[in-house]
Amino acid sequence: MISRRTFAKGLVGGAAAVTAPHALTGAAFAGQSTQAWYAETTLWDSEVDPHVNYHVHGLAVLPDDTVVVATEGRHEVSDAGPRDLLVRRSTDGGATWTPTQTVVASVDGTAASTPTPGI
């Protein structure tokens, strides 16, 4: 059995492989070498962070290259369990990130869900 993290990385890699030909420039098609067009960053990890599971719902890039990402921090591995709404922000295009901020905390088992940036 593989971990959720390994499975997710495989999905991202597969998606990148499928879409990569569409992202290549004319120089790449002419046989010149290219650099990777994305970098991977783990923002929340259930193996080291306090929540049991994370479900990312939204990401927005502002005109000044600030990146805002929102997730559900789930207390259980379930769509029906209690969860907190969390955000992280990067002001340098995703190179570094602020610590996680809780926007809405679960109280007495309540569940806030589906955070999406309205930007």
Side-chain angles (χ1 to χ4, degrees):
M1 181 155 62
I2 63 172
S3 71
R4 288 188 302 259
R5 175 191 260 182
T6 302
F7 179 74
K9 285 182 179 182
L11 285 177
V12 170
V18 170
T19 60
H22 303 292
L24 296 176
T25 64
F29 285 111
Q32 297 178 4
S33 66
T34 61
Q35 297 290 326
W37 51 273
Y38 73 94
E40 181 179 311
T41 301
T42 300
L43 297 176
W44 292 282
D45 184 345
S46 62
E47 294 179 13
V48 296
D49 292 323
H51 290 84
V52 174
N53 195 3
Y54 296 90
H55 188 73
V56 176
H57 277 284
L59 181 138
V61 180
L62 305 178
D64 67 353
D65 286 335
T66 295
V67 182
V68 179
V69 64
T71 190
E72 293 176 358
R74 296 179 176 190
H75 295 261
E76 303 170 0
V77 181
S78 167
D79 286 337
R83 50 194 174 256
D84 303 329
L85 299 185
L86 311 171
V87 297
R88 290 188 75 178
R89 185 171 66 104
S90 172
T91 57
D92 55 13
T96 60
W97 293 87
T98 61
T100 297
Q101 295 177 300
T102 302
V103 177
V104 178
S106 176
V107 177
D108 296 326
T110 60
S113 65
T114 316
T116 54
I119 300 171

mmCIF file of all heavy atoms in Angstrom, residues 1-17 38 40-47 53-56:
data_model
loop_
_atom_site.group_PDB
_atom_site.id
_atom_site.type_symbol
_atom_site.label_atom_id
_atom_site.label_comp_id
_atom_site.label_asym_id
_atom_site.label_seq_id
_atom_site.Cartn_x
_atom_site.Cartn_y
_atom_site.Cartn_z
ATOM 1 N N MET A 1 0.844 -1.169 0.000
ATOM 2 C CA MET A 1 0.000 0.000 0.000
ATOM 3 C C MET A 1 0.897 1.243 0.000
ATOM 4 O O MET A 1 1.925 1.274 0.648
ATOM 5 C CB MET A 1 -0.904 -0.008 1.226
ATOM 6 C CG MET A 1 -1.799 1.183 1.248
ATOM 7 S SD MET A 1 -3.343 1.068 2.151
ATOM 8 C CE MET A 1 -2.894 0.773 3.803
ATOM 9 N N ILE A 2 0.484 2.292 -0.728
ATOM 10 C CA ILE A 2 1.259 3.529 -0.775
ATOM 11 C C ILE A 2 0.573 4.592 0.077
ATOM 12 O O ILE A 2 -0.622 4.530 0.317
ATOM 13 C CB ILE A 2 1.445 4.029 -2.223
ATOM 14 C CG1 ILE A 2 0.096 4.377 -2.864
ATOM 15 C CG2 ILE A 2 2.197 3.018 -3.053
ATOM 16 C CD1 ILE A 2 0.224 5.059 -4.201
ATOM 17 N N SER A 3 1.343 5.586 0.506
ATOM 18 C CA SER A 3 0.790 6.659 1.327
ATOM 19 C C SER A 3 -0.014 7.622 0.461
ATOM 20 O O SER A 3 0.146 7.671 -0.761
ATOM 21 C CB SER A 3 1.909 7.402 2.036
ATOM 22 O OG SER A 3 2.653 8.158 1.109
ATOM 23 N N ARG A 4 -0.854 8.411 1.122
ATOM 24 C CA ARG A 4 -1.638 9.436 0.399
ATOM 25 C C ARG A 4 -0.709 10.428 -0.279
ATOM 26 O O ARG A 4 -0.971 10.893 -1.380
ATOM 27 C CB ARG A 4 -2.561 10.172 1.367
ATOM 28 C CG ARG A 4 -3.727 9.351 1.840
ATOM 29 C CD ARG A 4 -4.700 10.205 2.624
ATOM 30 N NE ARG A 4 -4.089 10.853 3.766
ATOM 31 C CZ ARG A 4 -4.196 10.441 5.015
ATOM 32 N NH1 ARG A 4 -4.889 9.372 5.279
ATOM 33 N NH2 ARG A 4 -3.613 11.097 5.996
ATOM 34 N N ARG A 5 0.400 10.756 0.389
ATOM 35 C CA ARG A 5 1.346 11.732 -0.171
ATOM 36 C C ARG A 5 1.951 11.199 -1.466
ATOM 37 O O ARG A 5 2.016 11.900 -2.470
ATOM 38 C CB ARG A 5 2.445 12.030 0.837
ATOM 39 C CG ARG A 5 3.512 12.935 0.261
ATOM 40 C CD ARG A 5 4.693 12.996 1.170
ATOM 41 N NE ARG A 5 4.624 14.209 1.955
ATOM 42 C CZ ARG A 5 5.539 14.555 2.822
ATOM 43 N NH1 ARG A 5 6.554 13.774 3.062
ATOM 44 N NH2 ARG A 5 5.439 15.677 3.471
ATOM 45 N N THR A 6 2.402 9.933 -1.471
ATOM 46 C CA THR A 6 2.986 9.338 -2.671
ATOM 47 C C THR A 6 1.952 9.265 -3.782
ATOM 48 O O THR A 6 2.246 9.560 -4.941
ATOM 49 C CB THR A 6 3.533 7.937 -2.352
ATOM 50 O OG1 THR A 6 4.494 8.060 -1.305
ATOM 51 C CG2 THR A 6 4.163 7.295 -3.570
ATOM 52 N N PHE A 7 0.721 8.898 -3.437
ATOM 53 C CA PHE A 7 -0.349 8.829 -4.426
ATOM 54 C C PHE A 7 -0.604 10.199 -5.038
ATOM 55 O O PHE A 7 -0.712 10.340 -6.258
ATOM 56 C CB PHE A 7 -1.626 8.288 -3.772
ATOM 57 C CG PHE A 7 -2.793 8.205 -4.710
ATOM 58 C CD1 PHE A 7 -2.854 7.212 -5.678
ATOM 59 C CD2 PHE A 7 -3.826 9.126 -4.635
ATOM 60 C CE1 PHE A 7 -3.926 7.128 -6.547
ATOM 61 C CE2 PHE A 7 -4.897 9.053 -5.500
ATOM 62 C CZ PHE A 7 -4.944 8.059 -6.463
ATOM 63 N N ALA A 8 -0.677 11.247 -4.190
ATOM 64 C CA ALA A 8 -0.928 12.604 -4.689
ATOM 65 C C ALA A 8 0.198 13.078 -5.590
ATOM 66 O O ALA A 8 -0.036 13.701 -6.625
ATOM 67 C CB ALA A 8 -1.119 13.568 -3.516
ATOM 68 N N LYS A 9 1.448 12.796 -5.210
ATOM 69 C CA LYS A 9 2.579 13.189 -6.059
ATOM 70 C C LYS A 9 2.505 12.490 -7.410
ATOM 71 O O LYS A 9 2.826 13.072 -8.439
ATOM 72 C CB LYS A 9 3.906 12.876 -5.365
ATOM 73 C CG LYS A 9 4.236 13.832 -4.254
ATOM 74 C CD LYS A 9 5.579 13.509 -3.649
ATOM 75 C CE LYS A 9 5.926 14.490 -2.554
ATOM 76 N NZ LYS A 9 7.241 14.227 -1.972
ATOM 77 N N GLY A 10 2.079 11.229 -7.419
ATOM 78 C CA GLY A 10 1.920 10.511 -8.680
ATOM 79 C C GLY A 10 0.853 11.142 -9.551
ATOM 80 O O GLY A 10 1.014 11.262 -10.769
ATOM 81 N N LEU A 11 -0.252 11.574 -8.937
ATOM 82 C CA LEU A 11 -1.310 12.230 -9.700
ATOM 83 C C LEU A 11 -0.826 13.539 -10.303
ATOM 84 O O LEU A 11 -1.087 13.839 -11.467
ATOM 85 C CB LEU A 11 -2.518 12.510 -8.805
ATOM 86 C CG LEU A 11 -3.387 11.322 -8.450
ATOM 87 C CD1 LEU A 11 -4.504 11.755 -7.506
ATOM 88 C CD2 LEU A 11 -3.971 10.671 -9.682
ATOM 89 N N VAL A 12 -0.106 14.329 -9.511
ATOM 90 C CA VAL A 12 0.412 15.604 -10.007
ATOM 91 C C VAL A 12 1.410 15.362 -11.130
ATOM 92 O O VAL A 12 1.376 16.026 -12.160
ATOM 93 C CB VAL A 12 1.054 16.418 -8.854
ATOM 94 C CG1 VAL A 12 1.810 17.617 -9.398
ATOM 95 C CG2 VAL A 12 -0.012 16.861 -7.876
ATOM 96 N N GLY A 13 2.293 14.395 -10.949
ATOM 97 C CA GLY A 13 3.272 14.083 -11.991
ATOM 98 C C GLY A 13 2.611 13.617 -13.273
ATOM 99 O O GLY A 13 2.997 14.009 -14.373
ATOM 100 N N GLY A 14 1.583 12.789 -13.133
ATOM 101 C CA GLY A 14 0.857 12.315 -14.311
ATOM 102 C C GLY A 14 0.152 13.444 -15.031
ATOM 103 O O GLY A 14 0.169 13.528 -16.255
ATOM 104 N N ALA A 15 -0.470 14.340 -14.261
ATOM 105 C CA ALA A 15 -1.145 15.485 -14.874
ATOM 106 C C ALA A 15 -0.140 16.388 -15.582
ATOM 107 O O ALA A 15 -0.407 16.889 -16.670
ATOM 108 C CB ALA A 15 -1.907 16.272 -13.808
ATOM 109 N N ALA A 16 1.020 16.577 -14.963
ATOM 110 C CA ALA A 16 2.053 17.404 -15.591
ATOM 111 C C ALA A 16 2.537 16.769 -16.886
ATOM 112 O O ALA A 16 2.771 17.458 -17.878
ATOM 113 C CB ALA A 16 3.221 17.619 -14.630
ATOM 114 N N ALA A 17 2.685 15.455 -16.892
ATOM 115 C CA ALA A 17 3.160 14.770 -18.093
ATOM 116 C C ALA A 17 2.157 14.898 -19.238
ATOM 117 O O ALA A 17 2.534 15.048 -20.393
ATOM 118 C CB ALA A 17 3.426 13.301 -17.788
ATOM 119 N N TYR A 38 7.248 24.195 -13.419
ATOM 120 C CA TYR A 38 6.573 24.291 -12.142
ATOM 121 C C TYR A 38 7.489 23.780 -11.043
ATOM 122 O O TYR A 38 8.458 23.078 -11.298
ATOM 123 C CB TYR A 38 5.265 23.497 -12.148
ATOM 124 C CG TYR A 38 5.490 21.997 -12.114
ATOM 125 C CD1 TYR A 38 5.488 21.312 -10.907
ATOM 126 C CD2 TYR A 38 5.741 21.281 -13.269
ATOM 127 C CE1 TYR A 38 5.723 19.950 -10.864
ATOM 128 C CE2 TYR A 38 5.962 19.928 -13.236
ATOM 129 C CZ TYR A 38 5.950 19.264 -12.037
ATOM 130 O OH TYR A 38 6.179 17.923 -11.994
ATOM 131 N N GLU A 40 7.146 22.029 -7.024
ATOM 132 C CA GLU A 40 6.208 21.403 -6.099
ATOM 133 C C GLU A 40 6.541 21.812 -4.674
ATOM 134 O O GLU A 40 7.704 21.814 -4.266
ATOM 135 C CB GLU A 40 6.306 19.890 -6.224
ATOM 136 C CG GLU A 40 5.358 19.151 -5.326
ATOM 137 C CD GLU A 40 5.460 17.661 -5.503
ATOM 138 O OE1 GLU A 40 5.428 17.191 -6.653
ATOM 139 O OE2 GLU A 40 5.590 16.970 -4.487
ATOM 140 N N THR A 41 5.514 22.176 -3.912
ATOM 141 C CA THR A 41 5.660 22.527 -2.509
ATOM 142 C C THR A 41 4.553 21.851 -1.714
ATOM 143 O O THR A 41 3.391 21.933 -2.106
ATOM 144 C CB THR A 41 5.544 24.057 -2.309
ATOM 145 O OG1 THR A 41 6.550 24.698 -3.082
ATOM 146 C CG2 THR A 41 5.706 24.439 -0.855
ATOM 147 N N THR A 42 4.895 21.192 -0.633
ATOM 148 C CA THR A 42 3.900 20.608 0.257
ATOM 149 C C THR A 42 3.543 21.658 1.296
ATOM 150 O O THR A 42 4.391 22.051 2.103
ATOM 151 C CB THR A 42 4.440 19.340 0.943
ATOM 152 O OG1 THR A 42 4.789 18.394 -0.073
ATOM 153 C CG2 THR A 42 3.409 18.736 1.879
ATOM 154 N N LEU A 43 2.305 22.134 1.272
ATOM 155 C CA LEU A 43 1.874 23.164 2.202
ATOM 156 C C LEU A 43 1.293 22.578 3.483
ATOM 157 O O LEU A 43 1.439 23.150 4.551
ATOM 158 C CB LEU A 43 0.852 24.079 1.539
ATOM 159 C CG LEU A 43 1.382 24.870 0.346
ATOM 160 C CD1 LEU A 43 0.259 25.671 -0.295
ATOM 161 C CD2 LEU A 43 2.516 25.780 0.771
ATOM 162 N N TRP A 44 0.605 21.461 3.382
ATOM 163 C CA TRP A 44 0.049 20.777 4.539
ATOM 164 C C TRP A 44 0.338 19.293 4.402
ATOM 165 O O TRP A 44 0.182 18.722 3.323
ATOM 166 C CB TRP A 44 -1.464 20.997 4.630
ATOM 167 C CG TRP A 44 -1.838 22.403 4.935
ATOM 168 C CD1 TRP A 44 -1.793 23.011 6.151
ATOM 169 C CD2 TRP A 44 -2.315 23.391 4.017
ATOM 170 N NE1 TRP A 44 -2.211 24.311 6.054
ATOM 171 C CE2 TRP A 44 -2.543 24.572 4.751
ATOM 172 C CE3 TRP A 44 -2.576 23.395 2.655
ATOM 173 C CZ2 TRP A 44 -3.018 25.740 4.165
ATOM 174 C CZ3 TRP A 44 -3.044 24.553 2.078
ATOM 175 C CH2 TRP A 44 -3.261 25.710 2.830
ATOM 176 N N ASP A 45 0.765 18.679 5.482
ATOM 177 C CA ASP A 45 1.139 17.266 5.458
ATOM 178 C C ASP A 45 0.550 16.589 6.690
ATOM 179 O O ASP A 45 0.941 16.900 7.822
ATOM 180 C CB ASP A 45 2.660 17.138 5.460
ATOM 181 C CG ASP A 45 3.153 15.714 5.328
ATOM 182 O OD1 ASP A 45 2.360 14.777 5.519
ATOM 183 O OD2 ASP A 45 4.346 15.544 5.038
ATOM 184 N N SER A 46 -0.381 15.680 6.488
ATOM 185 C CA SER A 46 -1.057 15.028 7.612
ATOM 186 C C SER A 46 -0.121 14.172 8.456
ATOM 187 O O SER A 46 -0.471 13.801 9.571
ATOM 188 C CB SER A 46 -2.224 14.181 7.105
ATOM 189 O OG SER A 46 -1.749 13.164 6.250
ATOM 190 N N GLU A 47 1.074 13.888 7.951
ATOM 191 C CA GLU A 47 2.026 13.101 8.739
ATOM 192 C C GLU A 47 2.773 13.963 9.757
ATOM 193 O O GLU A 47 3.306 13.440 10.723
ATOM 194 C CB GLU A 47 3.008 12.386 7.819
ATOM 195 C CG GLU A 47 2.330 11.320 6.962
ATOM 196 C CD GLU A 47 3.289 10.619 6.013
ATOM 197 O OE1 GLU A 47 4.514 10.762 6.174
ATOM 198 O OE2 GLU A 47 2.802 9.928 5.110
ATOM 199 N N ASN A 53 -6.286 15.133 7.986
ATOM 200 C CA ASN A 53 -6.443 15.154 6.545
ATOM 201 C C ASN A 53 -6.614 16.602 6.092
ATOM 202 O O ASN A 53 -7.102 17.433 6.844
ATOM 203 C CB ASN A 53 -7.684 14.318 6.169
ATOM 204 C CG ASN A 53 -7.752 13.976 4.716
ATOM 205 O OD1 ASN A 53 -6.869 14.289 3.934
ATOM 206 N ND2 ASN A 53 -8.832 13.322 4.322
ATOM 207 N N TYR A 54 -6.207 16.890 4.864
ATOM 208 C CA TYR A 54 -6.359 18.228 4.283
ATOM 209 C C TYR A 54 -7.005 18.084 2.922
ATOM 210 O O TYR A 54 -6.691 17.168 2.168
ATOM 211 C CB TYR A 54 -5.002 18.925 4.148
ATOM 212 C CG TYR A 54 -4.364 19.176 5.488
ATOM 213 C CD1 TYR A 54 -3.532 18.235 6.070
ATOM 214 C CD2 TYR A 54 -4.624 20.349 6.187
ATOM 215 C CE1 TYR A 54 -2.968 18.457 7.311
ATOM 216 C CE2 TYR A 54 -4.056 20.579 7.420
ATOM 217 C CZ TYR A 54 -3.226 19.627 7.984
ATOM 218 O OH TYR A 54 -2.678 19.851 9.202
ATOM 219 N N HIS A 55 -7.892 19.000 2.620
ATOM 220 C CA HIS A 55 -8.567 18.977 1.329
ATOM 221 C C HIS A 55 -8.518 20.390 0.761
ATOM 222 O O HIS A 55 -9.236 21.275 1.217
ATOM 223 C CB HIS A 55 -10.007 18.496 1.511
ATOM 224 C CG HIS A 55 -10.716 18.256 0.226
ATOM 225 N ND1 HIS A 55 -10.442 17.172 -0.580
ATOM 226 C CD2 HIS A 55 -11.674 18.970 -0.403
ATOM 227 C CE1 HIS A 55 -11.215 17.228 -1.655
ATOM 228 N NE2 HIS A 55 -11.963 18.296 -1.566
ATOM 229 N N VAL A 56 -7.641 20.607 -0.216
ATOM 230 C CA VAL A 56 -7.433 21.944 -0.778
ATOM 231 C C VAL A 56 -8.569 22.273 -1.739
ATOM 232 O O VAL A 56 -8.904 21.493 -2.622
ATOM 233 C CB VAL A 56 -6.065 22.046 -1.489
ATOM 234 C CG1 VAL A 56 -5.908 23.393 -2.155
ATOM 235 C CG2 VAL A 56 -4.949 21.799 -0.481
#
